[in-house]
C-alpha cells in the first residue's frame, strides 16, 4: 500500500510493487530520487514525485508502505542529503585517532532538480582532536544547508582505554548466597 499526496489534487491511495520502490530506495540518490508515477486507472501523474516516507518490516526487511509526494520542479523543497567522507584522515593514519562520524545527513533546501546525491567532505587533512562542522561543508550551487552550522559532522578523537578494576589484595569479596 502507498499514498500519493501534495501539489494539485487530493490524496490518492495506491498499491505499488515493493521491488520497484526498494530499487529506488537503494539507488545512489535513494529517497531523493525524482521519478514519474504511472497509475493504471488514470495514466501518468503530471510532474514528478518523490518518496516522502517509507516503512519497512523490522524482521523481514520488506517494504510495507510508502508515501509519495507530488513535486513542482519550480518550487524549493527540503530534503535530507547524506554526508560522505572522502580520503583517510591524517589524525587516524598517522596519529592513532579514531574517526567519529556523528552526523551522516544534513537538511538542505533547493529546487528538486538541484538535489545532490550526497555532499562530500575531504577528511585527509583532519588531525587528531579536530573536527568538521556543518559550517565547513561546501554545498553545491543552488543548495542551502539548513542543519545547525555548529553541529560536528566528522571528528578525529583519541582512543580511550577502559581500565579493568580488580579487587584489592586482601579485600573481602562478597559471595552469592547458596540455595
Amino acid at each position: 500500500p502507498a499514498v500519493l499526496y501534495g501539489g494539485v489534487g487530493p490524496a490518492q491511495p495506491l498499491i505499488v510493487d515493493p521491488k520497484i520502490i526498494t530499487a529506488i530506495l537503494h539507488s545512489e540518490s535513494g529517497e531523493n530520487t525524482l521519478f514519474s508515477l504511472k497509475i493504471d486507472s488514470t495514466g501518468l501523474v503530471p510532474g514528478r514525485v518523490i518518496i516522502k516516507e517509507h516503512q519497512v518490516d523490522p524482521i523481514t526487511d520488506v517494504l510495507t508502505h510508502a508515501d509519495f509526494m507530488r513535486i513542482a520542479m519550480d518550487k524549493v523543497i527540503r530534503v535530507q542529503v547524506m554526508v560522505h567522507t572522502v580520503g583517510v584522515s591524517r589524525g587516524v593514519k598517522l596519529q592513532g585517532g579514531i574517526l567519529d562520524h556523528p552526523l551522516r545527513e544534513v537538511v538542505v533546501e533547493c529546487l528538486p532538480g538541484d538535489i545532490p546525491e550526497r555532499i562530500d567532505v575531504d577528511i585527509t587533512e583532519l588531525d587528531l582532536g579536530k573536527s568538521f562542522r556543518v559550517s565547513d561543508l561546501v554545498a553545491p550551487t543552488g543548495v542551502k544547508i539548513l542543519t545547525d552550522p555548529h553541529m560536528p559532522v566528522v571528528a578525529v578523537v583519541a582512543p580511550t582505554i577502559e581500565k579493568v578494576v580488580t579487587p584489592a589484595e586482601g579485600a573481602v569479596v562478597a559471595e552469592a548466597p547458596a540455595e
Side-chain angles (χ1 to χ4, degrees):
V3 65
L4 172 66
Y5 57 85
V8 179
Q12 183 174 2
L14 307 169
I15 295 176
V16 296
D17 182 353
K19 291 177 186 175
I20 295 171
I21 305 308
T22 300
I24 291 171
L25 290 169
H26 291 158
S27 70
E28 190 73 28
S29 53
E31 286 186 9
N32 295 331
T33 302
L34 300 174
F35 57 97
S36 297
L37 188 63
K38 182 178 179 186
I39 301 174
D40 288 340
S41 62
T42 60
L44 198 62
V45 172
R48 308 288 247 161
V49 298
I50 193 168
I51 299 172
K52 189 65 176 169
E53 296 285 334
H54 70 283
Q55 298 169 357
V56 176
D57 184 287
I59 296 173
T60 63
D61 201 33
V62 173
L63 182 72
T64 58
H65 180 79
D67 287 357
F68 303 119
M69 188 170 78
R70 294 177 190 100
I71 297 295
M73 296 301 286
D74 60 344
K75 294 200 190 278
V76 172
I77 62 170
R78 289 184 182 186
V79 293
Q80 291 188 341
V81 175
M82 295 292 294
V83 177
H84 179 258
T85 59
V86 177
V88 178
S89 165
R90 183 171 49 208
V92 171
K93 188 175 182 178
L94 303 174
Q95 301 166 341
I98 297 172
L99 189 68
D100 184 22
H101 194 354
L103 187 65
R104 297 188 180 268
E105 293 182 328
V106 291
V107 177
V108 300
E109 186 176 71
C110 60
L111 291 172
D114 293 337
I115 299 173
E117 289 181 4
R118 65 183 190 216
I119 296 177
D120 291 331
V121 57
D122 183 3
I123 61 168
T124 55
E125 301 297 318
L126 194 59
D127 287 319
L128 184 65
K130 301 295 181 183
S131 66
F132 275 107
R133 300 197 177 279
V134 171
S135 60
D136 299 324
L137 296 175
V138 179
T141 304
V143 176
K144 180 180 178 183
I145 299 175
L146 301 177
T147 302
D148 180 0
H150 302 293
M151 294 206 44
V153 177
V154 179
V156 177
V157 296
T160 56
I161 299 173
E162 186 175 315
K163 293 184 180 182
V164 177
V165 179
T166 57
E169 231 179 270
V172 178
V173 177
E175 292 184 23
E179 287 187 33

